[in-house]
Amino acid sequence: MNGEEEFYDAVTGLESDESYEGVSEASFKDALVFEGGQDDSDTPLQENGVRKRRTSLPAPMFSRNNFSVWGILRKCIGLELSKIAMPIVLNEPLSFLQRISEYMEHTYLIHKACSLPDSLDRMQAVAAFAVSAVASQWDRTGKPFNPLLGETYELIRESEGYRLISEQVSHHPPVSAFHAESLNQDFMFHGSIYPKLKFWGKSVEAEPRGTITLELLKHKEAYTWTNPLCCVHNIILGKLWIEQYGTVEIVNHSTGDRCVLNFKPCGMFGKELHRVEGYILDKNKRKRSVVYGKWTECIWSVDPQEYEAHRKAERKGGSDTRKQKQEEELGVEVNEEADDMPEVQETVAVVPGSTLLWRITPRPAHSAEMYNFSFAVSLNELEPGMEGILAPTDCRLRPDIRAMESGDMDTASAEKERLEEKQRAARRERAKDEEEWSTRWFRTGTNPFTGSQDWLYTGGYFDRNYTDCPNIY
């Protein structure tokens, strides 16, 4: 193991079954044009060689039950977390670049936004997409592999109408850039993520710095936001569990509409666990709709007046709430060893008159044996012939990740160490020659909508000219 490995988690969605604008869930799903994962053996090859996506991993997940990281972390209190070497048993067999691509699991919400004539309805669809983009984080306690400098990942889903390219553009600090585009020129979705980590003794908090930008080209609109904070509890002792919290503000830079979403921390009794609540404001700062639900389950919208009336009725019916809360507080036992995950309430109380914007699809029955993957199970698949099409820097070609997903942990650990040493040696050579690292597919620039520094796609990846790609594996 080396001391330069960064420990960070991605902040990223799950397939849904949904309704919109009063349309029933069943009829809306039947009407979707961009349904994925339905290919059969007669389906033509995709551009990168994929015919039919797999539904399971080559080997089940390696057990972490008898492992604790306290032996590592107790020597590192007060040190920068990015300098702590973490054992491979805490990983999942995906690169962080692949985990970013899970944002695209709910692309149908972007297509829906493109089809809506009203800007406030489009904002609702975009808000649902922003929430769904972090849904795959639920129960994903494995750490993705840190991308090597120059590593790339491409994802093409012709049936869902998009393609994506991402690149690790910086190693210290770790920065991952991505760019997705509609195959019909309907949208562009791009951004860069620089996870900032804080170690709080029993938990690790990841702040996903970086701007996410969605452009709806037909409507000449651009939306920007930043993902919520993610916290992994019980790093040292107890069962690992995840919560997301913080304020996410989505801005429509063309109309002035905004959506403010509050991802709520679970609180002492867990009543707010996974809950999301917010509102959509028009350019005159008038509340036009309330958005609520859980990022692990579903998102609804409702008229603000109906929402407030419902809340008042709830408060009126709960006159004994304060007394009950005091009794609960007196009966609380403080657990100083582990932050027990509150019991999850799997339903959202639906306000009458609400419209369902997004609902999560249950994970496969065997998901727990596959690192709680759903959409992600196919991301590292490498079919025969793909090696000759993919860039030589693609994550699918990383030997350590491939060994881990096949269950060979010894080879995975040895290959990971070899790749990291190769990366350090290349960095020493560049320093000796006073040579700066040059990114291949992205460049630094100014986000035209926020004015902040960003990583922008330079184009050309899908021309398949990879002659000047670095040798990183």
Side-chain angles (χ1 to χ4, degrees), residues 46-49 154 385-391 461 464 466:
Q46 286 188 172
E47 183 182 344
N48 63 358
E154 69 170 73
M386 286 180 69
E387 297 96 326
I389 301 173
L390 297 172
Y461 174 87
R464 304 292 180 190
Y466 305 133

PDB file of all heavy atoms in Angstrom, residues 46-49 154 385-391 461 464 466:
ATOM      1  N   GLN A  46     -23.330  -1.836 -30.243  1.00  0.00           N
ATOM      2  CA  GLN A  46     -23.147  -0.410 -30.042  1.00  0.00           C
ATOM      3  C   GLN A  46     -21.793   0.003 -30.602  1.00  0.00           C
ATOM      4  O   GLN A  46     -20.958  -0.832 -30.951  1.00  0.00           O
ATOM      5  CB  GLN A  46     -23.198  -0.071 -28.545  1.00  0.00           C
ATOM      6  CG  GLN A  46     -24.589  -0.124 -27.960  1.00  0.00           C
ATOM      7  CD  GLN A  46     -24.626   0.402 -26.542  1.00  0.00           C
ATOM      8  OE1 GLN A  46     -25.688   0.552 -25.992  1.00  0.00           O
ATOM      9  NE2 GLN A  46     -23.486   0.687 -25.955  1.00  0.00           N
ATOM     10  N   GLU A  47     -21.585   1.302 -30.627  1.00  0.00           N
ATOM     11  CA  GLU A  47     -20.359   1.844 -31.198  1.00  0.00           C
ATOM     12  C   GLU A  47     -19.113   1.294 -30.512  1.00  0.00           C
ATOM     13  O   GLU A  47     -18.081   1.095 -31.137  1.00  0.00           O
ATOM     14  CB  GLU A  47     -20.396   3.370 -31.081  1.00  0.00           C
ATOM     15  CG  GLU A  47     -19.219   4.083 -31.704  1.00  0.00           C
ATOM     16  CD  GLU A  47     -19.302   5.585 -31.520  1.00  0.00           C
ATOM     17  OE1 GLU A  47     -20.387   6.081 -31.184  1.00  0.00           O
ATOM     18  OE2 GLU A  47     -18.276   6.253 -31.704  1.00  0.00           O
ATOM     19  N   ASN A  48     -19.210   1.019 -29.201  1.00  0.00           N
ATOM     20  CA  ASN A  48     -18.024   0.526 -28.497  1.00  0.00           C
ATOM     21  C   ASN A  48     -18.052  -0.984 -28.300  1.00  0.00           C
ATOM     22  O   ASN A  48     -17.296  -1.527 -27.499  1.00  0.00           O
ATOM     23  CB  ASN A  48     -17.862   1.228 -27.147  1.00  0.00           C
ATOM     24  CG  ASN A  48     -19.030   0.949 -26.215  1.00  0.00           C
ATOM     25  OD1 ASN A  48     -19.973   0.265 -26.589  1.00  0.00           O
ATOM     26  ND2 ASN A  48     -18.975   1.488 -25.014  1.00  0.00           N
ATOM     27  N   GLY A  49     -18.933  -1.682 -29.017  1.00  0.00           N
ATOM     28  CA  GLY A  49     -18.883  -3.135 -29.022  1.00  0.00           C
ATOM     29  C   GLY A  49     -19.833  -3.833 -28.074  1.00  0.00           C
ATOM     30  O   GLY A  49     -19.823  -5.063 -27.998  1.00  0.00           O
ATOM     31  N   GLU A 154     -15.691   5.661 -21.019  1.00  0.00           N
ATOM     32  CA  GLU A 154     -16.765   6.028 -21.937  1.00  0.00           C
ATOM     33  C   GLU A 154     -17.986   5.173 -21.652  1.00  0.00           C
ATOM     34  O   GLU A 154     -17.881   4.004 -21.285  1.00  0.00           O
ATOM     35  CB  GLU A 154     -16.340   5.849 -23.392  1.00  0.00           C
ATOM     36  CG  GLU A 154     -16.153   4.408 -23.828  1.00  0.00           C
ATOM     37  CD  GLU A 154     -15.978   4.257 -25.333  1.00  0.00           C
ATOM     38  OE1 GLU A 154     -14.891   4.620 -25.829  1.00  0.00           O
ATOM     39  OE2 GLU A 154     -16.920   3.773 -25.993  1.00  0.00           O
ATOM     40  N   GLY A 385     -13.469  -8.184 -28.176  1.00  0.00           N
ATOM     41  CA  GLY A 385     -13.343  -7.229 -29.260  1.00  0.00           C
ATOM     42  C   GLY A 385     -13.358  -5.776 -28.826  1.00  0.00           C
ATOM     43  O   GLY A 385     -12.938  -4.893 -29.592  1.00  0.00           O
ATOM     44  N   MET A 386     -13.832  -5.513 -27.593  1.00  0.00           N
ATOM     45  CA  MET A 386     -13.920  -4.125 -27.141  1.00  0.00           C
ATOM     46  C   MET A 386     -12.548  -3.499 -26.933  1.00  0.00           C
ATOM     47  O   MET A 386     -12.383  -2.293 -27.088  1.00  0.00           O
ATOM     48  CB  MET A 386     -14.727  -4.022 -25.842  1.00  0.00           C
ATOM     49  CG  MET A 386     -16.227  -4.188 -26.027  1.00  0.00           C
ATOM     50  SD  MET A 386     -17.129  -4.060 -24.465  1.00  0.00           S
ATOM     51  CE  MET A 386     -16.900  -2.329 -24.073  1.00  0.00           C
ATOM     52  N   GLU A 387     -11.541  -4.331 -26.597  1.00  0.00           N
ATOM     53  CA  GLU A 387     -10.198  -3.782 -26.357  1.00  0.00           C
ATOM     54  C   GLU A 387      -9.667  -3.037 -27.573  1.00  0.00           C
ATOM     55  O   GLU A 387      -8.899  -2.078 -27.436  1.00  0.00           O
ATOM     56  CB  GLU A 387      -9.219  -4.900 -25.981  1.00  0.00           C
ATOM     57  CG  GLU A 387      -9.560  -5.620 -24.691  1.00  0.00           C
ATOM     58  CD  GLU A 387     -10.342  -6.896 -24.934  1.00  0.00           C
ATOM     59  OE1 GLU A 387     -11.138  -6.904 -25.908  1.00  0.00           O
ATOM     60  OE2 GLU A 387     -10.173  -7.861 -24.175  1.00  0.00           O
ATOM     61  N   GLY A 388     -10.063  -3.481 -28.760  1.00  0.00           N
ATOM     62  CA  GLY A 388      -9.581  -2.836 -29.966  1.00  0.00           C
ATOM     63  C   GLY A 388     -10.305  -1.558 -30.319  1.00  0.00           C
ATOM     64  O   GLY A 388      -9.897  -0.844 -31.252  1.00  0.00           O
ATOM     65  N   ILE A 389     -11.380  -1.251 -29.592  1.00  0.00           N
ATOM     66  CA  ILE A 389     -12.185  -0.058 -29.869  1.00  0.00           C
ATOM     67  C   ILE A 389     -11.992   1.010 -28.803  1.00  0.00           C
ATOM     68  O   ILE A 389     -11.899   2.196 -29.103  1.00  0.00           O
ATOM     69  CB  ILE A 389     -13.676  -0.437 -29.973  1.00  0.00           C
ATOM     70  CG1 ILE A 389     -13.890  -1.465 -31.089  1.00  0.00           C
ATOM     71  CG2 ILE A 389     -14.535   0.802 -30.215  1.00  0.00           C
ATOM     72  CD1 ILE A 389     -15.291  -2.012 -31.164  1.00  0.00           C
ATOM     73  N   LEU A 390     -11.915   0.582 -27.542  1.00  0.00           N
ATOM     74  CA  LEU A 390     -11.802   1.524 -26.430  1.00  0.00           C
ATOM     75  C   LEU A 390     -10.445   2.221 -26.424  1.00  0.00           C
ATOM     76  O   LEU A 390      -9.453   1.686 -26.923  1.00  0.00           O
ATOM     77  CB  LEU A 390     -11.978   0.789 -25.100  1.00  0.00           C
ATOM     78  CG  LEU A 390     -13.318   0.112 -24.836  1.00  0.00           C
ATOM     79  CD1 LEU A 390     -13.220  -0.729 -23.561  1.00  0.00           C
ATOM     80  CD2 LEU A 390     -14.433   1.145 -24.699  1.00  0.00           C
ATOM     81  N   ALA A 391     -10.428   3.398 -25.820  1.00  0.00           N
ATOM     82  CA  ALA A 391      -9.142   4.057 -25.566  1.00  0.00           C
ATOM     83  C   ALA A 391      -8.322   3.178 -24.625  1.00  0.00           C
ATOM     84  O   ALA A 391      -8.883   2.534 -23.728  1.00  0.00           O
ATOM     85  CB  ALA A 391      -9.371   5.432 -24.939  1.00  0.00           C
ATOM     86  N   TYR A 461     -13.120  12.724 -28.891  1.00  0.00           N
ATOM     87  CA  TYR A 461     -12.878  11.403 -28.315  1.00  0.00           C
ATOM     88  C   TYR A 461     -13.458  10.295 -29.193  1.00  0.00           C
ATOM     89  O   TYR A 461     -12.804   9.275 -29.445  1.00  0.00           O
ATOM     90  CB  TYR A 461     -13.457  11.304 -26.900  1.00  0.00           C
ATOM     91  CG  TYR A 461     -13.344   9.914 -26.325  1.00  0.00           C
ATOM     92  CD1 TYR A 461     -12.197   9.514 -25.662  1.00  0.00           C
ATOM     93  CD2 TYR A 461     -14.370   8.978 -26.501  1.00  0.00           C
ATOM     94  CE1 TYR A 461     -12.063   8.217 -25.175  1.00  0.00           C
ATOM     95  CE2 TYR A 461     -14.247   7.680 -26.026  1.00  0.00           C
ATOM     96  CZ  TYR A 461     -13.095   7.304 -25.371  1.00  0.00           C
ATOM     97  OH  TYR A 461     -12.954   6.022 -24.902  1.00  0.00           O
ATOM     98  N   ARG A 464     -12.113   8.152 -32.280  1.00  0.00           N
ATOM     99  CA  ARG A 464     -11.337   6.925 -32.045  1.00  0.00           C
ATOM    100  C   ARG A 464      -9.878   7.047 -32.470  1.00  0.00           C
ATOM    101  O   ARG A 464      -9.261   6.068 -32.885  1.00  0.00           O
ATOM    102  CB  ARG A 464     -11.990   5.730 -32.748  1.00  0.00           C
ATOM    103  CG  ARG A 464     -13.433   5.469 -32.378  1.00  0.00           C
ATOM    104  CD  ARG A 464     -13.569   5.004 -30.952  1.00  0.00           C
ATOM    105  NE  ARG A 464     -14.971   4.754 -30.569  1.00  0.00           N
ATOM    106  CZ  ARG A 464     -15.365   4.526 -29.326  1.00  0.00           C
ATOM    107  NH1 ARG A 464     -14.470   4.523 -28.349  1.00  0.00           N
ATOM    108  NH2 ARG A 464     -16.625   4.314 -29.037  1.00  0.00           N
ATOM    109  N   TYR A 466      -6.587   7.393 -30.834  1.00  0.00           N
ATOM    110  CA  TYR A 466      -5.993   7.316 -29.497  1.00  0.00           C
ATOM    111  C   TYR A 466      -4.473   7.158 -29.548  1.00  0.00           C
ATOM    112  O   TYR A 466      -3.867   6.628 -28.613  1.00  0.00           O
ATOM    113  CB  TYR A 466      -6.607   6.144 -28.729  1.00  0.00           C
ATOM    114  CG  TYR A 466      -8.112   6.183 -28.652  1.00  0.00           C
ATOM    115  CD1 TYR A 466      -8.867   5.047 -28.935  1.00  0.00           C
ATOM    116  CD2 TYR A 466      -8.780   7.357 -28.316  1.00  0.00           C
ATOM    117  CE1 TYR A 466     -10.258   5.085 -28.859  1.00  0.00           C
ATOM    118  CE2 TYR A 466     -10.164   7.397 -28.245  1.00  0.00           C
ATOM    119  CZ  TYR A 466     -10.900   6.250 -28.524  1.00  0.00           C
ATOM    120  OH  TYR A 466     -12.269   6.285 -28.453  1.00  0.00           O
TER     121      TYR A 466
END
